[in-house]
């Protein structure tokens, strides 16, 4: 995907910053946990920190320790404005700090026999693989969220059949003539209905990525996101 800043409405491009500035912590936290919990857990599971416990529990502890502090997410907003630091990178770095803290705390308590922080530092290749796993999982999470929003938008517009056809063709690879009759339409009508749903999917995808990057260009995730979105008609 190319730089799409010009395609993002200003309201979508600045949503996350506005929500943070307005103190809408619940809204911001919900968005972060919904989109990033699984990618962060996959990242954690790919590092030596997995020895500290269940990755999902570790990520939940990280969210609990950081999201309750309004200054923490405000710091990201300021850094994003000044340096362009992506939210996903901020969260991954924050999780790393949290896991180092947790490893040191458990060492002090005598509950671990090895230093997980040193183990991670000694394995840069493993850290790189963990970041790659995170990026791919995040792309999947963004696409899933876009699918969910497109489904809701279609249902609200009375176009649930459009979304079903879109998913059958683009999501499952079925040709229109194999299922058109079951919807009471011909293949050409199916294609038109799928395009309507695909437009809603593209809009949702743009909104989510605008929030993730806060109007910045799309860096490493471009290729993965384009590949996954391409499978679904974006």
């Amino acid at each position: 995907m190319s730089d799409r800043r010009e395609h993002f409405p200003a309201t979508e491009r600045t949503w996350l910053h506005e929500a943070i500035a307005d103190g809408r912590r619940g809204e911001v936290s919900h968005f972060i946990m919904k989109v990033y919990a699984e990618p962060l857990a996959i990242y954690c599971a790919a590092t030596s920190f997995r020895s500290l416990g269940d990755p999902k529990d570790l990520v939940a502890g990280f969210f609990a320790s950081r999201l309750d502090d309004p200054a923490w997410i405000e710091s990201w907003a300021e850094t994003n404005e000044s340096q362009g630091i992506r939210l996903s990178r901020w969260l991954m770095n924050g999780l790393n700090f949290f896991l180092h803290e947790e490893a040191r705390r458990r060492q002090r308590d005598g509950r671990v026999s090895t230093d997980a922080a040193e183990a991670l530092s000694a394995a840069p290749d493993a850290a790189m693989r963990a970041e790659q796993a995170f990026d791919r999982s995040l792309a999947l999470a963004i696409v899933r969220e876009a699918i969910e929003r497109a489904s809701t938008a279609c249902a609200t517009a009375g176009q649930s059949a459009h979304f079903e056809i879109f998913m059958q063709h683009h999501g499952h690879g079925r040709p229109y003539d194999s299922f058109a009759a079951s919807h009471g339409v011909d293949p050409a009508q199916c294609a038109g209905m799928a395009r309507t749903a695909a437009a809603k999917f593209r809009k949702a995808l743009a909104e989510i990525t605008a929030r993730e990057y806060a109007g910045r260009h799309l860096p490493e995730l471009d290729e993965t996101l384009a590949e996954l979105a391409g499978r679904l008609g974006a």
Side-chain angles (χ1 to χ4, degrees):
M1 293 183 185
S2 61
D3 187 338
R4 294 191 288 176
R5 278 174 291 184
E6 67 275 14
H7 300 306
F8 293 150
T11 52
E12 291 298 344
R13 197 165 61 231
T14 59
W15 172 86
L16 194 52
H17 282 278
E18 290 176 353
I20 293 169
D22 293 344
R24 305 200 307 267
R25 288 169 51 195
E27 191 176 343
V28 172
S29 295
H30 174 76
F31 171 72
I32 289 175
M33 289 187 288
K34 184 175 183 180
V35 175
Y36 296 95
E38 184 175 342
L40 288 171
I42 287 174
Y43 169 79
C44 183
T47 72
S48 60
F49 288 117
R50 60 184 177 274
S51 62
L52 295 177
D54 183 273
K56 291 182 179 179
D57 291 339
L58 292 170
V59 171
F62 163 63
F63 282 149
S65 70
R66 295 327 197 242
L67 292 179
D68 280 345
D69 179 7
W72 185 75
I73 195 63
E74 288 170 3
S75 294
W76 167 76
E78 294 171 0
T79 306
N80 175 261
E81 289 282 10
S82 62
Q83 301 176 32
I85 299 298
R86 292 184 291 128
L87 179 57
S88 56
R89 171 59 60 179
W90 179 268
L91 291 170
M92 190 161 52
N93 289 345
L95 177 61
N96 258 314
F97 283 123
F98 171 79
L99 293 171
H100 278 82
E101 293 166 3
E102 186 67 10
R104 288 193 294 270
R105 184 176 67 81
R106 294 188 187 191
Q107 276 195 304
R108 289 195 298 271
D109 295 344
R111 288 191 286 155
V112 292
S113 57
T114 59
D115 189 343
E118 286 185 5
L120 181 63
S121 299
D125 290 343
M128 183 178 296
R129 288 194 297 271
E131 289 191 22
Q132 291 170 344
F134 172 84
D135 280 347
R136 184 158 186 85
S137 180
L138 177 57
L140 285 167
I142 289 173
V143 170
R144 282 197 300 268
E145 176 73 4
I147 290 171
E148 183 180 324
R149 293 189 190 187
S151 175
T152 300
C154 283
T156 300
Q159 297 172 335
S160 294
H162 296 59
F163 182 78
E164 291 174 12
I165 289 171
F166 165 71
M167 289 301 299
Q168 284 181 299
H169 181 69
H170 293 291
H172 303 294
R174 296 182 61 191
Y176 293 125
D177 58 12
S178 71
F179 61 84
S182 65
H183 290 280
V185 295
D186 60 36
Q189 289 172 309
C190 270
M193 294 166 75
R195 283 194 294 272
T196 297
K200 290 180 169 57
F201 170 72
R202 285 194 297 271
K203 180 177 183 293
L205 192 65
E207 290 172 353
I208 297 164
T209 51
R211 293 181 181 190
E212 150 69 359
Y213 296 103
R216 303 283 176 173
H217 70 284
L218 304 179
E220 304 92 40
L221 275 179
D222 281 1
E223 184 176 345
T224 302
L225 195 55
E227 174 193 345
L228 294 168
R231 296 177 189 172
L232 291 164

